[in-house]
Amino acid sequence: MLDQAIAGAAQDEAGGLGPLGVAGVTIVWADNNGIPRSRTVPAAAFDAVAERGVGVTPLFAVFDSHDGICFGHAPLGTPSGDIRLVPVAGRMVRLAGQPGFAWVPGRQVAADGSPWPYDQRGALERQVERAAALGLEFLAGYEIEFHLSRADDGEGRPVYDGPSYGPAKLLAVDGFAEQLLRDLHGNGVPIGQFHGEYGPGQFELSLAPADPVTAADRQLLARQTIHAAARAHGLRASFAPLVTPGQVGNGWHLHTSVSRAGVNLLSGGDGPAGTTAEGAAYLAGLLRDLHAVVAVTAPSLSSLQRLRPGYWCGAYAFWGVENREAALRLVPATPLLGPGHANVELKPSDAAANPYLALAAVIAAGLGGIEDALTPPAPVQENPGEWSETRRAEHGIRRLPSTVEQQLGALLGNGRIRAALGEELTDAFRVVRLSDAARAADLDPDEVIRRYRWLY
């Protein structure tokens, strides 16, 4: 049953909404396509919702990217049934850019309040608990890339097409940039930096590291904040992996680190790039399961189009030290930043990934490496995309899956990642991916990009 202490805390949290002028509370979760879904309840009704949740259909677990409902997963094979969406206590935020509304992440539970196997947040919470039982703690942070165009431009033409990374690019969206920074601060989303990125009309901000569940919550809140600030300034944001053909795509690079007793295992050792034995094993575990992990972290047809050699998106399964072409980029500790800064960046990760499932898969793979005391191969500091097939084979470097069938083969063939998601959720994820593939079977690549452009 739903923990009454949790429900009581959420009720207490709602007590001051009326005097603040909040009309409604939006309860948000992310589906198996990485798309945020929500229910909004009147502020005056929130006390009851905090205790009992709000009803939603369980079929959201088998919505495909374009809202088609899949019935190929037998336990969710009919339109019957109901679950409850329960706000998470302690996570409510009055939205700085939408002051009439508050925002809170939701947890999906069964109709009687018991755990529901398709709840993506629950999958991540289980992996965090598993790590804690092993004496390990994780930090995670996202680099979020997005594209800005004019709100009335459905083709996604960039709002700015000049030199990358300079102040002129931010000047082109000056009012938006100012509001975004103020709203992120007001919404309690700490960031490290914000800049104009490489692609035309592309921008990036980095979320400060946090525990994995908080990091996933903040990822959803950050995208809500960005969309609202863009709308306020006549702009439209897209987080789609590819927005326009032939351009660089939007990655949501996922940074993680693992610690024991407060000591970062990715620094202070005599392993590769200063990793400890357990830190190196964590990296090796990620590499061992990378094909299955990426099936979760970059799962859409748009994701597959983005993963191209030479675009710094990690098209091949290998690791390197500060190698931006590597799927796994180790960012080592430095005297300036200190040992706590060391982390592993997963490049093939984007907005099509459910953030809770993405982190659950990453943690499960890394924990598996630690439990099995794996040793990673030597780092690669070149671009294997420029190598011959023979040379790549000699180094054990393979291309990451480039089709839905290859991705599902990697996922379904990996017991560790399936167990992290749970068998029910894994199969629901499978039918969603197959539905997406069937929907796009007769589309050319440019049309696929167009159809995914405004989903995220």
Side-chain angles (χ1 to χ4, degrees):
M1 299 295 290
L2 181 63
D3 190 318
Q4 293 304 306
I6 292 176
Q11 288 174 314
D12 292 342
E13 191 175 29
L17 292 178
L20 291 175
V22 171
V25 181
T26 299
I27 311 168
V28 180
W29 79 101
D31 71 8
N32 286 327
N33 313 288
I35 296 174
R37 308 286 183 175
S38 68
R39 287 286 191 270
T40 297
V41 299
F46 190 78
D47 283 357
V49 171
E51 183 177 357
R52 302 182 186 91
V54 61
V56 297
T57 173
L59 295 178
F60 278 115
V62 287
F63 268 47
D64 69 16
S65 295
H66 290 77
D67 293 351
I69 301 174
C70 315
F71 289 103
H73 172 63
L76 300 177
T78 77
S80 300
D82 203 21
I83 61 170
R84 307 300 289 179
L85 177 67
V86 180
V88 178
R91 296 296 169 102
M92 185 185 294
V93 173
R94 184 193 181 193
L95 292 171
Q98 302 169 257
F101 291 90
W103 180 101
V104 64
R107 177 179 287 106
Q108 301 162 82
V109 302
D112 64 359
S114 62
W116 192 54
Y118 304 91
D119 178 47
Q120 296 91 350
R121 184 190 181 90
L124 175 55
E125 289 172 337
R126 289 192 298 273
Q127 291 306 304
V128 172
E129 290 167 1
R130 180 175 163 232
L134 296 172
L136 299 170
E137 294 181 345
F138 285 85
L139 289 176
Y142 277 92
E143 293 177 35
I144 295 179
E145 294 176 338
F146 59 96
H147 174 99
L148 288 177
S149 60
R150 298 297 174 191
D152 58 356
D153 182 1
E155 295 304 310
R157 284 180 284 269
V159 70
Y160 176 83
D161 192 9
S164 300
Y165 302 110
K169 192 165 189 175
L170 281 183
L171 187 61
V173 293
D174 186 61
F176 160 79
E178 178 185 351
Q179 179 171 341
L180 178 60
L181 291 175
R182 294 185 188 280
D183 288 352
L184 287 168
H185 177 75
N187 289 344
V189 181
I191 69 168
Q193 53 80 37
F194 173 45
H195 66 270
E197 248 293 338
Y198 184 80
Q202 188 181 44
F203 298 83
E204 178 187 292
L205 58 82
S206 59
L207 303 186
D211 71 87
V213 179
T214 297
D217 286 346
R218 285 178 177 169
Q219 192 241 55
L220 291 179
L221 180 53
R223 62 202 296 181
Q224 175 79 16
T225 307
I226 293 166
H227 277 307
R231 184 194 63 177
H233 292 273
L235 302 172
R236 193 177 189 183
S238 174
F239 304 114
L242 275 181
V243 177
T244 53
Q247 293 292 341
V248 298
N250 293 318
W252 284 28
H253 305 156
L254 178 52
H255 294 254
T256 56
S257 64
V258 57
S259 299
R260 184 183 293 281
V263 177
N264 190 338
L265 299 177
L266 296 172
S267 64
D270 55 7
T275 57
T276 66
E278 286 189 308
Y282 174 68
L283 180 62
L286 290 175
L287 187 60
R288 175 177 64 180
D289 291 338
L290 190 60
H291 285 68
V293 168
V294 172
V296 178
T297 63
S300 74
L301 296 171
S302 186
S303 306
L304 290 170
Q305 287 187 271
R306 172 182 167 262
L307 297 183
R308 300 157 291 172
Y311 281 79
W312 291 8
C313 58
Y316 286 94
F318 72 99
W319 80 280
V321 180
E322 293 285 22
N323 184 346
R324 286 178 170 78
E325 191 65 30
L328 293 171
R329 171 178 171 251
L330 179 66
V331 182
T334 67
L336 178 62
L337 297 176
H341 179 75
N343 67 86
V344 178
E345 177 186 20
L346 175 67
K347 287 280 190 177
S349 170
D350 61 48
N354 180 291
Y356 304 98
L357 295 186
L359 275 162
V362 165
I363 292 172
L367 289 179
I370 292 173
E371 289 174 318
D372 294 341
L374 298 184
T375 301
V380 175
Q381 300 305 107
E382 302 175 48
N383 178 6
E386 299 175 348
W387 295 359
S388 67
E389 288 285 356
T390 300
R391 187 180 177 194
R392 283 195 291 268
E394 289 172 349
H395 285 77
I397 295 175
R398 294 184 295 145
R399 180 79 183 267
L400 287 169
S402 58
T403 67
V404 171
E405 292 75 19
Q406 290 174 359
Q407 283 196 324
L408 289 178
L411 175 60
L412 299 178
N414 189 299
R416 279 176 297 274
I417 306 305
R418 283 204 330 268
L421 273 57
E423 293 298 338
E424 296 96 336
L425 203 159
T426 298
D427 197 56
F429 189 89
R430 175 189 67 86
V431 301
V432 166
R433 302 279 74 78
L434 290 176
S435 179
D436 278 356
R439 185 186 294 275
D442 298 324
L443 302 180
D444 64 40
D446 288 1
E447 181 63 15
V448 170
I449 291 172
R450 187 188 73 79
R451 294 199 181 191
Y452 279 80
R453 181 177 294 145
W454 304 117
L455 295 186
Y456 308 102

